[in-house]
Amino acid sequence: PPPPPPPPPPPPPPSSALAPALSSGLAEVWANGSFSDCRLVPRSGEEFAAHRLVLSARSEHFRELLAPTASAVTAAAIRLSVDAERPLVEAALRHVYLEAPPPDGLSHEELLALRELAGLWRLPSLLHATASRLVAILSPANVCATLREAAREEARAGLAFAAGGGGRGGESATSSTTLLKQAAGAFAAARFRSLLQEVPGEVLALPAATKAWLFSLRSASPLHLLAAAGSSGVMPEHELLAALLGPPHSCSLSARPTAGSPFAAASPLQVATACHRWETCQRLLDAGASLHEEGEGGGSLLHAAAAAGDAEACA
């Protein structure tokens, strides 16, 4: 048989002038509303002229909402209500048309609300832009609210994934959530004690998983830190111990940090014994720590306690 015909040549690369021309055109139709075929209506009732083609090209949310078979598409020009304040709807639309970053001067609460709108409209680039702006204004007064928002976003992303609702928008939301969580976590962990003094209610109101994660960021050996100093009052010690032993932390009861650590060559139980934290010792034993592990000098912890004449430790 004759050989198959060669594949068609690839299309020529787009003109280098095309992207600037498109950007200029989008800026013009955004500014004057020409050829608009839909209206977006925020809570205030003031309408924004928009274009189905632009919205659908930039947002999976609008691509689904404005599909020809969608129930909302019933007239030549349609009105869509948006449950958000006018400045935030305008900021989101400016990002759609102009790739504009969040406007300067937005408060922490407004940035969180804009981020929620970006998630609803599935605008990955705006999600990352709001995350970067939130990281830039982190403070002791808002870091706990930022961590709570990150925890909510993680929960929503997990539910969407479980329901089969993944996709590019969901992946980007998770990526920007991780950026936000890691930055806020590092900020809070570095100021852990001062936050407990300045905004104790905010810290204690964090989800238990977030508090355990924050505690784990304070040390390369969080279980040893718990054995030495307790939970710092951030949550009941037995709950923190259970969290650190389980995923995602999975701390080991037999781990012995290497040289350079303040807990070098000691297990969590040895640290708790050395600090005379007997209730913690009992919790570690109940969790599976070995009473017969060797302490300094080769003897067991029980031998060490007996040699020191510590009756309470022996008991």
Side-chain angles (χ1 to χ4, degrees):
S15 166
S16 59
L18 178 60
L22 284 175
S23 296
S24 176
L26 285 175
E28 182 177 349
V29 297
W30 162 248
N32 59 31
S34 57
F35 306 106
S36 64
D37 55 3
C38 65
R39 299 286 188 272
L40 270 60
V41 188
R43 293 171 185 165
S44 64
E46 179 180 349
E47 296 184 355
F48 287 98
H51 305 79
R52 297 185 201 179
L53 179 62
V54 176
L55 296 179
S56 299
R58 295 280 282 135
S59 161
E60 290 183 17
H61 169 74
F62 285 112
R63 195 174 309 149
E64 296 168 0
L65 189 64
L66 298 173
T69 56
S71 60
V73 184
T74 57
I78 60 174
R79 298 172 77 254
L80 299 175
S81 296
V82 183
D83 187 19
E85 299 298 335
R86 179 191 177 283
L88 303 183
V89 176
E90 181 177 5
L93 284 172
R94 285 179 59 82
H95 187 83
V96 166
Y97 280 82
L98 311 174
E99 283 287 336
D104 294 333
L106 291 183
S107 68
H108 181 267
E109 292 76 14
E110 288 171 327
L111 282 168
L112 288 180
L114 179 57
R115 182 171 175 79
E116 185 172 356
L117 187 59
L120 173 65
W121 288 7
R122 285 179 257 175
L123 298 173
S125 54
L126 185 55
L127 282 167
H128 280 279
T130 53
S132 298
R133 187 67 62 84
L134 285 164
V135 168
I137 64 169
L138 280 172
S139 72
N142 65 36
V143 66
C144 290
T146 303
L147 286 167
R148 284 196 299 273
E149 176 60 24
R152 282 192 292 266
E153 291 180 12
E154 283 187 327
R156 285 196 295 264
L159 289 173
F161 180 80
R168 289 177 299 172
E171 290 169 2
S172 296
T174 303
S175 172
S176 67
T177 298
T178 300
L179 166 68
L180 192 60
K181 176 183 175 180
Q182 294 292 342
F187 183 96
R191 299 161 178 81
F192 191 78
R193 292 191 178 278
S194 63
L195 288 176
L196 281 172
Q197 294 175 349
E198 297 173 23
V199 286
E202 290 285 301
V203 177
L204 296 178
L206 290 171
T210 301
K211 289 188 286 190
W213 175 70
L214 274 182
F215 186 92
S216 75
L217 294 180
R218 300 175 60 207
S219 171
S221 306
L223 195 57
H224 291 73
L225 179 61
L226 172 64
S231 65
S232 301
V234 70
M235 61 193 298
E237 187 174 297
H238 68 281
E239 293 182 11
L240 180 56
L241 175 61
L244 293 177
L245 290 175
H249 310 288
S250 301
C251 296
S252 171
L253 288 165
S254 59
R256 297 170 184 252
T258 57
S261 166
F263 312 113
S267 70
L269 183 57
Q270 289 172 335
V271 171
T273 302
C275 295
H276 294 191
R277 294 181 50 80
W278 311 126
E279 290 186 6
T280 302
C281 288
Q282 188 59 59
R283 291 191 181 102
L284 291 168
L285 289 169
D286 292 342
S290 173
L291 183 62
H292 304 291
E293 60 185 35
E294 292 186 354
E296 286 190 47
S300 70
L301 293 176
L302 187 58
H303 284 101
D310 198 323
E312 186 176 4
C314 292

